[in-house]
């Protein structure tokens, strides 16, 4: 994936703060942002909170930090559809911009899908927005069910539902 920042240019200190925050999250987009920014000289954080599918926040000294969806940062639902995933940044209640993460798929994914598709009913459950719908539909085929904007709990409930219907379920993740 390609990560780029759109917004007010960050100082080295702001980059260090956001890298420190992103490094505390288990979300794949946060991990990518952390890798993109980190100089391995991270700052200690307190009051770290993670809101699954929404964002994270913490304090670094007197500095408040937030990283997450547009709605998590601004309180307003996403203003526009984007062809990439966007992770918004707020430092001390000031929105400074967002990271645009342009997806790329792991090498061999197409071969794996082609191997599995004839024998299995493939589905995609994603926490991301549907910006990847078209390439995923091409990859998985028109018969594949593609579900976006799913929280981790919703994904778990969906798998349980399939299992209750007697389906055997195997999951492959991007993490």
């Amino acid at each position: 994936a390609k990560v780029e920042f759109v917004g007010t240019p960050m100082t080295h200190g702001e980059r260090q703060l956001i890298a420190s925050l992103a490094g505390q999250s288990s979300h794949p987009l946060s991990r990518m942002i952390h890798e993109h920014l980190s100089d391995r000289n991270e700052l200690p954080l307190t009051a770290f909170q993670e809101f699954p599918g929404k964002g994270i926040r913490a304090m670094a000294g007197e500095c408040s930090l937030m990283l997450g969806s547009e709605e998590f940062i601004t309180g307003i639902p996403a203003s526009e559809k984007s062809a990439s995933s966007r992770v918004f940044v707020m430092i001390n209640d000031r929105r400074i911009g967002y990271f645009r993460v342009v997806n790329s798929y792991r090498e061999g994914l197409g071969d794996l899908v082609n191997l599995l598709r004839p024998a299995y009913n493939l589905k995609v459950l994603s926490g991301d927005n549907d910006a990847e719908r078209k390439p995923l539909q091409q990859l998985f085929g028109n018969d594949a069910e593609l579900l976006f904007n799913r929280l981790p709990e919703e994904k778990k409930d969906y798998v349980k539902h399939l299992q209750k219907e007697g389906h055997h379920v195997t999951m492959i993740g991007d993490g």
Side-chain angles (χ1 to χ4, degrees), residues 55-102:
I56 54 179
R57 68 175 168 208
M59 298 292 294
E62 296 296 314
C63 187
S64 66
L65 309 168
M66 292 178 71
L67 191 64
S69 70
E70 184 172 13
E71 184 170 3
F72 180 73
I73 298 298
T74 66
I76 301 167
S79 59
E80 62 184 64
K81 268 206 183 274
S82 174
S84 58
S85 295
R86 298 186 310 170
V87 181
F88 288 78
V89 179
M90 186 176 284
I91 299 175
N92 287 331
D93 299 322
R94 183 176 59 93
R95 190 173 123 192
I96 63 169
Y98 62 89
F99 289 94
R100 179 175 27 227
V101 182
V102 179

Side-chain angles (χ1 to χ4, degrees), residues 4 35 65 73 81 90 92-93 100 116 119 134 145 149 157 172:
E4 60 183 16
E35 188 174 307
L65 309 168
I73 298 298
K81 268 206 183 274
M90 186 176 284
N92 287 331
D93 299 322
R100 179 175 27 227
L116 296 174
K134 188 174 180 179
E145 187 174 7
N149 299 305
D157 291 345
I172 301 170

Side-chain angles (χ1 to χ4, degrees), residues 4-157:
E4 60 183 16
F5 184 73
V6 177
T8 306
M10 288 189 283
T11 66
H12 174 73
E14 289 171 332
R15 289 172 59 91
Q16 193 176 20
L17 287 167
I18 297 305
S20 300
L21 179 60
Q24 299 300 308
S25 175
S26 60
H27 193 280
L29 292 176
S30 290
R31 290 198 313 257
M32 286 182 239
I33 291 167
H34 176 259
E35 188 174 307
H36 176 73
L37 293 178
S38 181
D39 61 5
R40 306 290 182 233
N41 189 19
E42 290 162 21
L43 303 169
L45 301 177
T46 58
F48 176 81
Q49 293 180 288
E50 188 159 17
F51 303 89
K54 297 176 183 174
I56 54 179
R57 68 175 168 208
M59 298 292 294
E62 296 296 314
C63 187
S64 66
L65 309 168
M66 292 178 71
L67 191 64
S69 70
E70 184 172 13
E71 184 170 3
F72 180 73
I73 298 298
T74 66
I76 301 167
S79 59
E80 62 184 64
K81 268 206 183 274
S82 174
S84 58
S85 295
R86 298 186 310 170
V87 181
F88 288 78
V89 179
M90 186 176 284
I91 299 175
N92 287 331
D93 299 322
R94 183 176 59 93
R95 190 173 123 192
I96 63 169
Y98 62 89
F99 289 94
R100 179 175 27 227
V101 182
V102 179
N103 203 7
S104 61
Y105 300 112
R106 288 186 181 180
E107 187 176 325
L109 179 61
D111 293 337
L112 177 62
V113 169
N114 289 335
L115 179 70
L116 296 174
R117 191 176 359 182
Y120 299 96
N121 183 6
L122 302 180
K123 301 176 186 297
V124 174
L125 296 175
S126 176
D128 294 333
N129 64 42
D130 69 349
E132 293 294 312
R133 179 176 298 281
K134 188 174 180 179
L136 285 172
Q137 198 79 66
Q138 290 173 338
L139 186 64
F140 281 84
N142 291 330
D143 295 338
E145 187 174 7
L146 307 179
L147 303 172
F148 297 94
N149 299 305
R150 297 300 193 260
L151 296 171
E153 192 68 26
E154 292 172 318
K155 294 177 195 177
K156 184 174 93 176
D157 291 345

